[in-house]
Amino acid sequence: RAWEDITPKRGKLFVVGDPKQSIYRFRRADVGQMTRLRQRMGGDTVHLVQNFRSQRPILAWVNHVFERWMKQGHEQTEYVSVIHRWEASTKHAAKPRVWSLGGPQDDTTVGPVRLKEAEGIANLLRGIVNSEWQVLDAEATNSSDEERYRPAKYSDVCVLMPTRTALRLLELAFDDADIPYR
């Protein structure tokens, strides 16, 4: 039978889901399905909003950007702000914060843009390590239950890419800048 034809007894079903994952439409994700399930089940919705990975400056930026973009509607879910666990409380000049990279491009083809992007990322990473940007020292923080920081290492950085199309250019830029990667 179809799931819409089943009515669970109250309190007998607990569902975990993230309607924000409906961005994966190419995998047939559908925010409408989550909405219909919620309506069908009734009951309460509990939002899990505590973030243990990112600090206040990053989550403030995320909340600011996505509150404007995510408006509840037919193909979109409401945006629920995320709450930080860590404050980024360090007096160091290179304390954790959000940085923007790049800007307007004169190039009209993707090749030169990707090359500039790769070089910009490599320069940023070199700057992060050379300027001793501060990162949360998870081990020291967990043992003291107080925020502890240390200078960033290349292994602290993860470059996220929507596809691997520009990966080779990034690898070449890292090689040219003598930046280790895997």
Side-chain angles (χ1 to χ4, degrees):
R1 296 188 313 182
W3 69 267
E4 292 99 337
D5 297 335
I6 300 169
T7 303
K9 290 185 178 180
R10 186 140 176 91
K12 294 290 184 182
L13 181 63
F14 180 86
V15 177
V16 176
D18 183 357
K20 292 176 188 165
Q21 296 300 311
S22 64
I23 60 173
Y24 298 109
R25 289 191 190 125
F26 63 92
R27 291 187 179 165
R28 298 184 334 171
D30 178 10
V31 71
Q33 186 173 16
M34 178 72 78
T35 303
R36 288 189 306 277
L37 177 63
R38 228 187 283 164
Q39 291 168 345
R40 180 88 175 129
M41 287 181 59
D44 298 322
T45 299
V46 176
H47 296 283
L48 304 178
V49 296
Q50 180 74 62
N51 180 300
F52 292 92
R53 294 183 180 171
S54 304
Q55 297 166 342
R56 179 191 292 263
I58 293 170
L59 294 179
W61 179 83
V62 166
N63 287 332
H64 172 75
V65 170
F66 285 94
E67 281 173 339
R68 293 183 299 157
W69 288 349
M70 293 183 73
K71 301 292 181 194
Q72 189 170 6
H74 174 66
E75 293 189 17
Q76 186 61 271
T77 185
E78 67 180 318
Y79 182 76
V80 177
S81 293
V82 184
I83 300 168
H84 63 280
R85 165 63 175 95
W86 306 111
E87 289 288 334
S89 56
T90 178
K91 303 281 190 244
H92 196 283
K95 64 183 179 183
R97 59 188 166 265
V98 175
W99 292 86
S100 178
L101 179 65
Q105 297 288 323
D106 294 330
D107 296 302
T108 57
T109 57
V110 73
V113 172
R114 285 189 175 146
L115 186 59
K116 286 180 186 175
E117 178 184 60
E119 291 169 352
I121 292 170
N123 288 332
L124 177 63
L125 294 185
R126 192 179 316 108
I128 287 171
V129 172
N130 291 343
S131 300
E132 297 186 337
W133 284 23
Q134 298 294 287
V135 296
L136 188 70
D137 186 331
E139 192 173 306
T141 297
N142 288 338
S143 65
S144 69
D145 203 32
E146 183 178 319
E147 291 182 39
R148 303 279 186 205
Y149 292 84
R150 63 170 173 73
K153 302 178 286 191
Y154 288 117
S155 60
D156 292 317
V157 179
C158 176
V159 178
L160 302 177
M161 306 176 80
T163 66
R164 292 183 296 209
T165 309
L167 181 59
R168 185 65 186 140
L169 288 174
L170 187 60
E171 290 172 334
L172 292 171
F174 284 177
D175 289 340
D176 289 345
D178 201 28
I179 294 173
Y181 64 89
R182 63 182 169 122

